[in-house]
Amino acid sequence: MNVEEGQTVEEWAPVTTVRSDKATVEITSRYTGVVKKVHYAVGDEAKTGSALIDIEVADGVADDVPAVSNNDDAPSAPSPPPPAPAAASAPAPAPVAAAPVASTPAPVPQAPAGRKKSLASPAVRRIAMQHKVNINDVHGTGRDGMVLKGDILAFIEGGKVVAAPAPVSSSALVGSGASIAQDRTIDIKGFAKVMVKTMTAATAVPHFGYCDEIDMTALVALRGSLKDQAEAAGVKLSYMPFMLKAASIALTKYPVLNSSVSADATQLTYKGAHNIGIAMDTKDGLVVPNVKNVQNLSIVEIAAELNRLQKDGAAGRLSSSDLSGGTFTLSNIGSIGGTYASPVLVLPEVCIGAVSKIQRVPRFGENDEVIATSIMRVSWSADHRVIDGATMARFSNVWKDALENPGSMLLHLR
Ligand code: CAO
């Protein structure tokens, strides 16, 4: 929440950020007025359509700022006009998922007896706390005497502040006998909460696992020769676009791997588009946006779309369209490390592959000579209710062949 009870809020000012299964949306205020009630705390699950806050406007308590629908990207409020530029002191929108809570709460500055409690946003209060400033000692220059960030900074510059003590490093505690290990419990929220739901459902499906190793030597050389050229065109070219294209080629040959199973497991739908999901590690946790219609895209077009998804994922800006409609998934856990993995299906998809780090290792050549080879391992998981092991292995062989002979992918250029 960017507002608290008693605070004045401007029309269209950011009130909070709401995260649904599919997207993260900033909710703005419908009215200018004083916040009378805040119905939810940070991290609470808001009921679709219910009030988030009550605002008192000039002629009484207005209705409310409603919670966003689980299925929508946008709040149900009327489309806002372009928001006015935020003042430098305006609070930055805080995500719904809170940072882990410290086990010892920081002291909240108390208003001296008989004095009015100062108005300030949570962000400004945080700044005051960080600098050990009692907010009630600061003269607020904002509307209705609201204390702004600039007021705190001016107060500090005026020299009326005791510097915060330097944090005690954990190494300083070693050997001192002090206990530093404390349990702490946090709520599972945001994308992690979605992961609880989706992964629990997926483990009810019998997974068939299949692993192989891919000789990436030729592809490492090819990517090396194209990387600068792509970069000059504004595209970061990693190995993923080649893996996605190779998957699309293999899916064309084995379309059952691009199918989905109905919830009651009575029907199988062969999907027309190759919307390939990429497991992505973001600051908010695991997300799986997908590149749409890979079958129609060149490798550089896949790379450009992947770059966009990575950028939007890092900024927490992925749309519900980015996160829905996937038909097959690849997880490049190798960008972090590892050799083998056991990926879990993204239902209702029937196949997911996880790839390892590419490593230089010795392998035998045709004449038993030892050759330094760039090897990547792949671990596939398939829905064993509808995919048999032989189909999985044949699919993997086509994918492997495309990556080991990257020139062959030219034949599939659009
Ligand atoms: N082996 C060796 N090098 C690799 C590699 C691999 N498997 N994967 C990536 N790299 C290299 C890239 O080529 C790039 O090198 P350059 O700087 O020379 O171009 C560098 O590592 C950084 O790549 P990247 O991670 O930014 O881009 P990507 O397209 O390879 O991967 C993405 C994108 C989104 C898949 C990745 O960033 C990511 O989030 N990986 C984690 C996935 C994950 O968490 N999976 C687990 C899911 S289950 O919880």
Side-chain angles (χ1 to χ4, degrees):
M1 277 287 171
N2 293 341
V3 295
E4 58 184 26
E5 288 168 13
Q7 184 185 329
T8 302
V9 64
E10 299 290 334
E11 190 179 5
W12 307 119
V15 166
T16 191
T17 305
V18 173
R19 180 175 296 147
S20 73
D21 283 12
K22 296 177 183 162
T24 302
V25 181
E26 185 178 77
I27 309 277
T28 54
S29 175
R30 283 180 171 183
Y31 310 100
T32 294
V34 177
V35 178
K36 288 317 246 182
K37 186 160 179 58
V38 175
H39 291 273
Y40 293 100
V42 171
D44 282 356
E45 193 165 327
K47 209 163 159 256
T48 301
S50 64
L52 291 176
I53 57 173
D54 294 340
I55 302 169
E56 187 177 65
V57 293
D59 47 358
V61 177
D63 87 39
D64 46 61
V65 177
V68 67
S69 152
N70 278 341
N71 299 319
D72 293 341
D73 276 355
S76 48
S79 319
S89 55
V96 165
V101 184
S103 52
T104 315
V108 178
Q110 298 296 317
R115 274 180 62 177
K116 192 170 160 283
K117 199 179 167 216
S118 295
L119 282 177
S121 69
V124 171
R125 286 183 188 283
R126 212 175 307 124
I127 295 169
M129 266 202 283
Q130 279 162 0
H131 291 87
K132 296 267 188 272
V133 170
N134 184 336
I135 206 154
N136 297 302
D137 294 340
V138 180
H139 173 66
T141 59
R143 202 161 150 184
D144 296 332
M146 187 163 184
V147 177
L148 308 177
K149 182 180 166 192
D151 298 333
I152 304 276
L153 298 179
F155 185 86
I156 294 166
E157 275 166 24
K160 296 191 180 171
V161 144
V162 185
V168 181
S169 79
S170 57
S171 59
L173 294 172
V174 174
S176 69
S179 168
I180 54 167
Q182 287 178 356
D183 294 348
R184 107 197 141 91
T185 304
I186 57 163
D187 292 333
I188 300 173
K189 299 177 203 155
F191 286 129
K193 193 166 177 177
V194 176
M195 193 158 75
V196 168
K197 208 164 87 183
T198 53
M199 293 296 106
T200 305
T203 50
V205 171
H207 283 50
F208 171 79
Y210 177 84
C211 301
D212 201 356
E213 63 173 44
I214 319 293
D215 181 347
M216 297 284 277
T217 312
L219 187 52
V220 168
L222 180 66
R223 184 193 82 113
S225 68
L226 296 175
K227 203 175 153 230
D228 289 350
Q229 219 172 308
E231 217 142 281
V235 178
K236 188 173 80 90
L237 185 66
S238 66
Y239 297 103
M240 282 301 272
F242 297 95
M243 294 188 221
L244 264 68
K245 194 69 199 173
S248 176
I249 291 165
L251 289 173
T252 304
K253 202 147 185 202
Y254 294 98
V256 70
L257 271 307
N258 197 52
S259 67
S260 67
V261 182
S262 63
D264 60 1
T266 58
Q267 286 187 314
L268 192 64
T269 303
Y270 284 71
K271 297 292 200 173
H274 296 167
N275 296 342
I276 302 187
I278 300 116
M280 198 173 273
D281 178 42
T282 72
K283 64 178 166 35
D284 295 323
L286 171 69
V287 284
V288 190
N290 60 82
V291 177
K292 305 264 189 284
N293 292 302
V294 173
Q295 77 282 4
N296 294 334
L297 301 180
S298 68
I299 285 169
V300 77
E301 286 168 336
I302 299 169
E305 179 61 356
L306 184 60
N307 290 176
R308 180 192 70 79
L309 292 174
Q310 246 182 306
K311 213 164 116 204
D312 286 356
R317 256 196 334 246
L318 290 166
S319 70
S320 87
S321 160
D322 292 330
L323 294 166
S324 57
T327 61
F328 178 93
T329 298
L330 281 177
S331 170
N332 180 10
I333 193 71
S335 65
I336 301 170
T339 308
Y340 292 102
S342 300
V344 178
L345 289 167
V346 180
L347 297 185
E349 296 170 22
V350 299
C351 187
I352 181 170
V355 297
S356 76
K357 193 173 182 58
I358 301 168
Q359 286 169 319
R360 293 276 285 169
V361 289
R363 287 292 179 267
F364 290 111
E366 275 178 17
N367 303 313
D368 279 355
E369 73 280 22
V370 175
I371 305 172
T373 312
S374 294
I375 292 290
M376 180 180 80
R377 278 88 181 188
V378 62
S379 307
W380 298 106
S381 289
D383 182 339
H384 211 352
R385 297 171 304 174
V386 292
I387 306 294
D388 56 57
T391 306
M392 184 71 256
R394 289 191 185 105
F395 166 89
S396 182
N397 285 344
V398 175
W399 185 76
K400 173 182 160 89
D401 188 60
L403 292 175
E404 291 189 343
N405 304 288
S408 71
M409 285 196 258
L410 285 174
L411 299 175
H412 302 272
L413 271 185
R414 299 261 168 194

